[in-house]
Coordinates of all heavy atoms in Angstrom, one line a residue:
I311 N -10.8 37.2 -16.7 CA -11.0 37.6 -15.4 C -12.5 37.7 -15.2 O -13.2 38.5 -15.9 CB -10.3 38.9 -15.0 CG1 -8.8 38.8 -15.3 CG2 -10.6 39.3 -13.6 CD1 -8.1 40.2 -15.2
D312 N -13.1 37.0 -14.2 CA -14.5 37.0 -14.0 C -14.8 37.2 -12.5 O -14.4 36.5 -11.6 CB -15.0 35.6 -14.4 CG -16.6 35.5 -14.3 OD1 -17.2 36.3 -13.6 OD2 -17.1 34.5 -14.8
N313 N -15.5 38.3 -12.2 CA -15.9 38.7 -10.9 C -17.4 38.6 -10.7 O -18.1 39.3 -11.4 CB -15.4 40.1 -10.5 CG -13.9 40.2 -10.3 OD1 -13.4 39.7 -9.3 ND2 -13.2 40.9 -11.1
H314 N -17.8 37.7 -9.9 CA -19.2 37.6 -9.5 C -19.4 37.9 -8.0 O -18.8 37.3 -7.2 CB -19.7 36.1 -9.7 CG -20.3 35.9 -11.1 ND1 -19.5 36.0 -12.2 CD2 -21.5 35.5 -11.5 CE1 -20.3 35.8 -13.3 NE2 -21.5 35.4 -12.9
T315 N -20.2 39.0 -7.7 CA -20.4 39.4 -6.4 C -21.9 39.3 -6.0 O -22.7 39.5 -6.9 CB -19.9 40.8 -6.1 OG1 -20.7 41.7 -6.8 CG2 -18.4 40.9 -6.5
S316 N -22.1 39.1 -4.8 CA -23.5 39.1 -4.3 C -23.5 39.7 -2.9 O -22.8 39.2 -2.0 CB -24.1 37.6 -4.3 OG -25.3 37.6 -3.6
V317 N -24.4 40.7 -2.7 CA -24.6 41.3 -1.4 C -26.1 41.0 -1.0 O -27.0 41.5 -1.7 CB -24.3 42.8 -1.3 CG1 -24.5 43.3 0.1 CG2 -22.8 43.0 -1.8
D318 N -26.3 40.3 0.1 CA -27.7 39.8 0.4 C -28.1 40.6 1.7 O -27.7 40.2 2.8 CB -27.7 38.3 0.7 CG -29.1 37.7 0.7 OD1 -30.0 38.5 0.5 OD2 -29.2 36.5 0.9
H319 N -28.9 41.6 1.5 CA -29.5 42.4 2.6 C -30.7 41.7 3.2 O -31.7 41.7 2.5 CB -29.8 43.8 2.1 CG -28.7 44.7 1.8 ND1 -28.2 45.7 2.7 CD2 -27.9 44.8 0.7 CE1 -27.2 46.3 2.2 NE2 -27.0 45.8 1.0
R320 N -30.6 41.2 4.4 CA -31.6 40.4 5.0 C -32.3 41.2 6.1 O -33.5 40.8 6.5 CB -31.1 39.1 5.5 CG -30.5 38.2 4.4 CD -29.8 37.0 4.9 NE -29.2 36.2 3.9 CZ -28.5 35.1 4.1 NH1 -28.3 34.7 5.3 NH2 -28.0 34.4 3.0
K321 N -31.7 42.2 6.7 CA -32.2 42.9 7.9 C -32.1 44.4 7.6 O -31.4 44.9 6.7 CB -31.4 42.5 9.1 CG -31.4 41.0 9.5 CD -32.8 40.6 9.9 CE -32.8 39.1 10.2 NZ -34.1 38.6 10.7
P322 N -32.8 45.2 8.4 CA -32.9 46.6 8.2 C -31.7 47.4 8.6 O -30.8 46.9 9.3 CB -34.1 47.1 9.0 CG -34.2 46.0 10.1 CD -33.8 44.7 9.5

Side-chain angles (χ1 to χ4, degrees):
I311 303 171
D312 184 345
N313 285 292
H314 269 61
T315 67
S316 171
V317 181
D318 196 359
H319 287 262
R320 300 173 179 175
K321 300 294 181 179

